[in-house]
Amino acid sequence: AGGNQSCTYVQAPYPNPPINEIKMISCTDVGGVEVTIPQGVTMGSLFVADAYACHTYASQGGMRCFGSNAFGQWGTGATGSATVATLSGYAPTTFGSSFTCSTTSCAGSNTNGQLGNGSTASSSFAPTAISGGSMTTVVASAGGTHACGIRGG
């Protein structure tokens, strides 16, 4: 569950072949969005934030997000809402209320410096590198307007 919403998996058998797989994700407060999982695709992790959610595919790789992208937190270079957007080249691992971070970059709102780029300047609709020079950064967790991580070198 995220700040203002919750999501559930809907598990139902497909007609041919009759096997039980997660067929759909149903979320409240994202406009009642129900996201269908294509037949034969193995569902991975589900990440729920304030007004959006993202899920991974365990078998095929990749990630899709849906709901509000008002701050560009999906890292697609755009803002707004979409029923479903497939992320390409950016795989966030932690999710704040208005931003996301991967192990090396963040996207979305930066009003509190949550993108980790050394400033509180404007938001970034595309992933921006986390400050730290040649260090490798591993973001461990995010809250509403902050992110915490562990640096290794």
Side-chain angles (χ1 to χ4, degrees):
N4 297 318
Q5 70 167 328
S6 61
C7 295
T8 58
Y9 293 117
V10 178
Q11 190 168 7
Y14 286 102
N16 291 315
I19 56 174
N20 286 326
E21 292 181 332
I22 295 169
K23 183 177 180 183
M24 187 180 304
I25 303 167
S26 180
C27 295
T28 61
D29 206 34
V30 187
V33 171
E34 292 187 341
V35 177
T36 302
I37 307 302
Q39 186 172 353
V41 170
T42 304
M43 181 68 189
S45 300
L46 176 65
F47 305 95
V48 182
D50 280 354
Y52 70 98
C54 298
H55 72 88
T56 61
Y57 294 121
S59 56
Q60 288 76 13
M63 179 176 284
R64 295 191 313 171
C65 294
F66 52 95
S68 174
N69 185 35
F71 300 95
Q73 66 266 31
W74 299 347
T76 60
T79 61
S81 294
T83 303
V84 178
T86 301
L87 306 190
S88 176
Y90 178 59
T93 55
T94 191
F95 303 81
S97 61
S98 59
F99 71 101
T100 60
C101 292
S102 71
T103 57
T104 59
S105 60
C106 296
S109 175
N110 195 36
T111 55
N112 295 299
Q114 60 266 48
L115 299 187
N117 61 3
S119 77
T120 56
S122 63
S123 300
S124 176
F125 306 141
T128 184
I130 297 170
S131 296
S134 61
M135 301 170 91
T136 301
T137 305
V138 178
V139 174
S141 182
T145 59
H146 69 280
C148 296
I150 302 167
R151 289 184 185 224

